Amino acid sequence: MKKTSLFSYFALPVALVLSLMAPESAMAAGVSHELFTVNNTWMLVATFLVFIMHLGFAALESGLTRSKNTTNILFKNTAIVAIGLLTYALCGFNLMYPGDFNGWIGFAGLGLSLPAGDAGLIGYADGNYTYYTDFIFQAMFAATAATIVSGAVAERVKLSSFLVFSTVFVAIVYPIVGSWKWGGGWLDKMGFYDFAGSTLVHGVGGWGALACVIVLGPRLGKYENGQIRPILGHSMPLATVGVFLLWLGWFGFNGGSVLSADPGAVSLVFVTTSLAAAAGVIASMVTSWAVQKKPDLSMILNGSLAGLVGITAGSDTVSVTASIIIGLIAGVIVVFSVMFFDKMKIDDPVGALSVHLVCGIWGTLAVGIFSTNPDHKLWVQLVGVIAYGATSFAAAFAIFLALKGTMGVRVSEQEEMEGLDMHEHGIAAYNGFQTTNQ
Amino acid sequence: MKKTSLFSYFALPVALVLSLMAPESAMAAGVSHELFTVNNTWMLVATFLVFIMHLGFAALESGLTRSKNTTNILFKNTAIVAIGLLTYALCGFNLMYPGDFNGWIGFAGLGLSLPAGDAGLIGYADGNYTYYTDFIFQAMFAATAATIVSGAVAERVKLSSFLVFSTVFVAIVYPIVGSWKWGGGWLDKMGFYDFAGSTLVHGVGGWGALACVIVLGPRLGKYENGQIRPILGHSMPLATVGVFLLWLGWFGFNGGSVLSADPGAVSLVFVTTSLAAAAGVIASMVTSWAVQKKPDLSMILNGSLAGLVGITAGSDTVSVTASIIIGLIAGVIVVFSVMFFDKMKIDDPVGALSVHLVCGIWGTLAVGIFSTNPDHKLWVQLVGVIAYGATSFAAAFAIFLALKGTMGVRVSEQEEMEGLDMHEHGIAAYNGFQTTNQ
Amino acid sequence: MKKTSLFSYFALPVALVLSLMAPESAMAAGVSHELFTVNNTWMLVATFLVFIMHLGFAALESGLTRSKNTTNILFKNTAIVAIGLLTYALCGFNLMYPGDFNGWIGFAGLGLSLPAGDAGLIGYADGNYTYYTDFIFQAMFAATAATIVSGAVAERVKLSSFLVFSTVFVAIVYPIVGSWKWGGGWLDKMGFYDFAGSTLVHGVGGWGALACVIVLGPRLGKYENGQIRPILGHSMPLATVGVFLLWLGWFGFNGGSVLSADPGAVSLVFVTTSLAAAAGVIASMVTSWAVQKKPDLSMILNGSLAGLVGITAGSDTVSVTASIIIGLIAGVIVVFSVMFFDKMKIDDPVGALSVHLVCGIWGTLAVGIFSTNPDHKLWVQLVGVIAYGATSFAAAFAIFLALKGTMGVRVSEQEEMEGLDMHEHGIAAYNGFQTTNQ
Amino acid sequence: MKKVEAIIKPFKLEEVKKALSEIGIVGMTISEVKGFGRQKGHKEHYRGAEYAIEFVPKIKLEIAVSDGDAEKVVEALLTSAKTGSIGDGKIFVTSLTEVVRIRTGEMGESAL
Amino acid sequence: MKKVEAIIKPFKLEEVKKALSEIGIVGMTISEVKGFGRQKGHKEHYRGAEYAIEFVPKIKLEIAVSDGDAEKVVEALLTSAKTGSIGDGKIFVTSLTEVVRIRTGEMGESAL
Amino acid sequence: MKKVEAIIKPFKLEEVKKALSEIGIVGMTISEVKGFGRQKGHKEHYRGAEYAIEFVPKIKLEIAVSDGDAEKVVEALLTSAKTGSIGDGKIFVTSLTEVVRIRTGEMGESAL
Ligand SMILES: Nc1ncnc2c1ncn2[C@@H]1O[C@H](COP(=O)(O)OP(=O)(O)O)[C@@H](O)[C@H]1O
Ligand SMILES: Nc1ncnc2c1ncn2[C@@H]1O[C@H](COP(=O)(O)OP(=O)(O)O)[C@@H](O)[C@H]1O
Ligand SMILES: Nc1ncnc2c1ncn2[C@@H]1O[C@H](COP(=O)(O)OP(=O)(O)O)[C@@H](O)[C@H]1O
């Protein structure tokens, strides 16, 4: 049971009845102010950890692309955080957690509103966190879904169109499909399980990315005469900084998804998360060493993220050994997946599809295989994967196609060749040449 | 009520009388060891978050300046943290929180001294944190004021003079003016409100920066024949890393200024802080897109900081909607302010004046406009702004002028043209040329 | 008393007897769920702080070396985290904390196993943290020892051999010698004190590094015709980012070594840690300014780390004044030590020997000099230093010599001259040249 | 022997290299340069102030060839580097007094 | 036609460019180079050991001009690039056999 | 006067510089270039796809010398830059019409 029942009722006048509906967590009345405070503190720590993932994405994506597009990528990633937070305040939060609803779509109204009475404090979520903590933690999550798309469409997407796409995707698509599970909707009722968002965040972002990449087409020169021409990332240090920050943020992403500071659960999640990431590194190292004959840094960076995405859905519900297996498999998958998408001429500069989409699916299904909870069924997980895939892909495809027909989604050939930095922003990312202002 | 009454008495022999003076926080006797522990833990988390802001400043300032001065900037920022911490231990802390004093200037003695009895632990601050936590959290704050100056004087200031200036500024000026409000001095008595330091930290640093920049003059070649010649920052990735780390640190800067882990207050501060930053990004994006015709990355980076500085004074006392408005206005202000200072031929390489001084003023006044607390009056806020401005500016001006007359404050023309890195430090920031050691 | 008695018994069926053995901490039965939760939360925060040190090492080491070897360094540092975590799960944890053992070597079995009963939760460590927290916090420590070696052997070591070395070192050597003190072994019984690992982590890593560097020899061209030819680090920003992140991580490294959120102890550790680092900066600045005539950024970066390593052994048990003295001395030592190793033709590209080994020794001895606890004796500290030195050095020397005789430990001359990045990994760290994919 | 130097647009390099390979050129040396010319750099804004980007990134190729091949090389360059818009670049031809292959000490055309 | 190459101090570029514009030069190509010469790099310390900075950053300009303009260009360079202290740099003049404008295929002086 | 240009392997620079100093050369200018030649770049893999590294990092030296010294310089280069394996590089010699020292305005051989 995750973000569900805690949220469904906050619009009710008497929030204290909440305590009667959530038997497996402590009674609101039964949670001391002390425990409430530590729970809330941990959730805020998790919040700033998820925040720093945005810097992780910005660094990773710019590191794995060319320097002539770096300003553009940094700009997008900065803007997306802002867009994500503001739209989530405006409507996303209340779309994702609409309270009592038909299970498919509901809306609790524009803006934020602190529930009356002490429901805004200790009574809000059984003493696990305040209303504001709930909002800000969820808001940080929301923006990550759009950021995933950013990496896949890098180096050719038109800035304005991308900003419009992100706004719609994060303000409407992400929260509506999110409500199906975390808002207590139909998939939640069916028993689908996705602890921290292998599918709800990474899958949704990944499907969106796939749709956009298909509409957009590959970068100029990537596939020529039937051959794949690798386009090298311009800065491995930047990419590495990005991955470590993402891993750091994942302690909050997964650890915060416990939705309290419960010592047993949070510490287990730290262990499974870390070991899956480590296993992803080792497996991708061995795989890339075997397949490419040399150990590819960019692959082990992807490998650690693959392990992290893989463990996200089940990090609280699988054994330590299972977490290692999940990570190992994710690390193997990601290498072949990167090669597969390239063979399909689906151009994804940073490996976002392989990491977030493919390993997001793997992680979600892995719950059905490895969960220690017998209620988790593989077929239900599969239903969830398909439902999210179909909807997110279709929605993103439709939005992006509409943008293509109106504003256009791709920069001009000249702009792409000369770099988006000078054309979209008028400023290069690196201005080290001695001649510029001596 | 902020850092005031908690500190005013710690030199008293019987610290437990404290509990009688602070009715709105829990009685010291009434705070459990558990709550004390979580409060203190949060304050330490906030401490390390503020610490990382120093890396944020170092990265932002070096990113927005030329590569020939990068080593110098990194050096200054590393040294300032050290200077800030050590001088705060030596005298700053006891100047800023002198206990009972005349409201203008007081001094509780050199060095740190753990109050006797359990006043050093749970009894020290009503169970909100220990004496050592208090010191280290405040010490991290102190150094930021000097760092703000560092950015504005970059690329031409003499290293030794700057280090002397910083030492005096952070050891004496910052804590004395700080005592007027946070130490319980005359402005505190008057009802002036500055939650986390829009004026006490950012304003003081900003006024100091303005004084130094005026004494120092612009960089060679910045203003020629009545024209502004932009000097491009050498690394946008570095600047972006800096801004994200600053934003991250702000969760501790503002969140820690609650001075306890109080769930309602800290989570509200997280929300207002984040949304103001996000609003700052969006507003500066729109403004720079409209004014400059292209969306300027350096402007939205400044924009997020503008929002953060703007919300700093009132982040616990304004509504969520107000926080967005404050951020939006800050984001607009910062763009025009950058242009204004350039027109005035006041050369500020990183926008420190616009971000910290101008938006610091705006944030302080915004409390008078948007605060939900009727005790906060706009005119009192204005008095505070003027008092801090006059004093900090005058003090910085005097110190820097004295240095100019003695050690000199500016590097030679040749040094400025060839770069401070080789002349002051004998080492370039980047040594990638193949010829240096093959 | 540190990690000792808490661990010695976790294999016992009735873990609750634990509470009887640890009189100086609260009774397990006596620790409330609230305090347990905050303790555990702090330990998890400390865990992610130690994690980020790995990024710190990666950045520092690649910043202080040449760009042609950067991919290689980033690769090694990413792989080591993974190796460290996985081997610690496999055998390291149970070698280091074997429970009741002969004091020299013991093994509690392969893999992790949650102790039965509530021993895995509140009863596991007197309510200070859970079993999983214990493991993951210790596992993050383990990997740092191997990373220290990485910096010293940079730019010439063969990747595969280094990975094998690290695996053996971190899986077997580090935990076995670690058990002598933290596992409750003979040095613990003798009264040796090393709070957070000046010797157990930094010393062990440093001695290992010394052994490897001696076997490996200096980089080509470092010492020619009896002269030292400095090889400049390629990126000062990267190095600076690394040092700030290490300092950040140290709040968890030392702060987490309190092994609970105890407000007095953790906040004292924050103060001593910060002031020692600051003092290290100032002392190394003054020393390098005096000796080299110019203030060397790379030296003050090493200086802050020197202060941090120096305070690690005694950060909970020395006075604030002592912490400053320890840091100042460390800052002086590190400058001369760097010069000394160079004179000895022991080539250490990043100063790892001076920072971790030399200041690790200094910090361990400093406990004997400055500790407020009369039980800490200088001669016992010296015994510890010698015991750890002899064993770690000998073990590393033997392993690395064996590798030299079999796989070889050094890349070919050509590879070293042209850079490890292209030869070991087939990818340069920076691909900014316009010609690569336009 | 001649040295043909060409200043071209960076994204044309791949094509130029191919064209040269096709006419049998097996060696060349390239470098990053910045060009100033009719292709006036655009005006941009940075932090609110206007600046002209006067120097545009270019690639410089240097190709040593026998006298006979020089014309062929120039022609190959002309067709492969051309986009037709301002800033396509220049070709400069100079005479080489001597060419030596360092590895073998060969001189003259056999060193090419 | 002639190619004038000048090695100058980086911070002089702006001034040199202006001087050249004034005498009607509309095209040039510049690159980053490092110079070794009488302006012996200073001795510096890095991590306690001394090292000599022998290679000093310089800018290289290449300007193709008609034979008649060469002297004017050299003169403009001489006055604008000069500081009077060691390391001001050198000017080299070579003969160009041919110049071609890639965009139009124009040859000779009209290609300049 | 002559300009001797040499394309060499980057790690040979130190040795070459020493060899040139020994024969009395006090000035030179170097730059980073990339070379394309017989030393075919290896094939590498990046993210699973093969790519050829066709351009290899090289250092270009430019040395202006009197006609009489040119041969000596070439010889010094030949011995000091040689490793014997493919890719050692080339030496190109051209005639200089004029050399000027910016600082003093000296011309011809005295400007070297
Ligand atoms: N006189 C010159 N000397 C050296 N390089 C030149 C000269 N004129 C032009 N160039 C180079 O050729 C490039 C293209 O020239 P430009 O005048 O912009 O357009 P076009 O090639 O269409 O005439 C310039 O960027 C510069 O690098
Ligand atoms: N013989 C030479 N060949 C090529 N370049 C040279 C030569 N001599 C000097 N230079 C270049 O000119 C620059 C300035 O020369 P230098 O001897 O330092 O001072 P000056 O120009 O005052 O004589 C050098 O840094 C180098 O780039
Ligand atoms: N025709 C040429 N024109 C210009 N530079 C050349 C030419 N041929 C070779 N080079 C340069 O010389 C370098 C070495 O040449 P290469 O053919 O690889 O080996 P070798 O020097 O052993 O013949 C190349 O990388 C390139 O920089």
Side-chain angles (χ1 to χ4, degrees), chain A residues 47-293:
Chain A
T47 298
F48 73 64
L49 288 174
V50 177
F51 167 77
I52 208 60
M53 292 175 78
H54 290 285
L55 176 55
F57 278 115
L60 173 62
E61 292 174 15
S62 51
L64 290 184
T65 51
R66 286 165 294 180
S67 58
K68 66 183 176 187
N69 300 317
T70 300
T71 299
N72 182 255
I73 289 172
L74 299 170
F75 191 97
K76 284 192 304 180
N77 279 281
T78 308
I80 283 174
V81 189
I83 291 172
L85 291 173
L86 290 172
T87 58
Y88 209 72
L90 189 71
C91 63
F93 189 47
N94 282 343
L95 272 172
M96 192 142 168
Y97 302 102
D100 256 337
F101 78 123
N102 57 26
W104 291 86
I105 181 162
F107 187 41
L110 282 177
L112 298 183
S113 47
L114 191 66
D118 79 352
L121 290 169
I122 193 167
Y124 172 63
D126 300 350
N128 286 339
Y129 41 81
T130 68
Y131 174 78
Y132 284 128
T133 299
D134 187 15
F135 161 72
I136 194 70
F137 179 68
Q138 300 294 338
M140 288 295 173
F141 261 66
T144 57
T147 299
I148 290 166
V149 180
S150 158
V153 299
E155 306 204 88
R156 59 212 192 275
V157 77
K158 218 173 133 175
L159 177 65
S160 51
S161 314
F162 177 75
L163 293 179
V164 173
F165 171 82
S166 301
T167 306
V168 178
F169 198 68
V170 76
I172 299 178
V173 180
Y174 168 80
I176 290 179
V177 299
S179 74
W180 298 350
K181 164 65 192 153
W182 290 345
W186 67 277
L187 271 164
D188 188 52
K189 302 242 149 71
M190 193 185 257
F192 176 66
Y193 193 75
D194 187 1
F195 175 63
S198 281
T199 279
L200 266 81
V201 180
H202 298 280
V204 168
W207 286 108
L210 181 63
C212 292
V213 167
I214 289 175
V215 173
L216 202 53
R219 288 168 292 174
L220 286 180
K222 181 69 197 287
Y223 307 110
E224 262 182 2
N225 319 324
Q227 282 209 314
I228 304 164
R229 275 187 47 227
I231 297 179
L232 307 183
H234 89 280
S235 173
M236 291 301 134
L238 209 46
T240 307
V241 166
V243 163
F244 272 88
L245 291 180
L246 283 165
W247 186 336
L248 175 70
W250 236 286
F251 288 116
F253 199 89
N254 287 0
S257 290
V258 168
L259 297 178
S260 82
D262 179 29
V266 180
S267 62
L268 173 62
V269 166
F270 263 58
V271 172
T272 54
T273 300
S274 300
L275 293 181
V281 169
I282 298 299
S284 59
M285 177 171 85
V286 172
T287 310
S288 99
W289 215 325
V291 173
Q292 306 179 212
K293 265 151 244 153

Side-chain angles (χ1 to χ4, degrees), chain B residues 230 233 292 294 296 298 302 351, chain D residues 44-51:
Chain B
Q292 307 179 212
K294 288 204 174 150
D296 186 331
S298 79
N302 277 171
Chain D
E44 290 296 346
H45 284 82
Y46 176 66
R47 302 183 71 64
E50 207 176 63
Y51 73 107

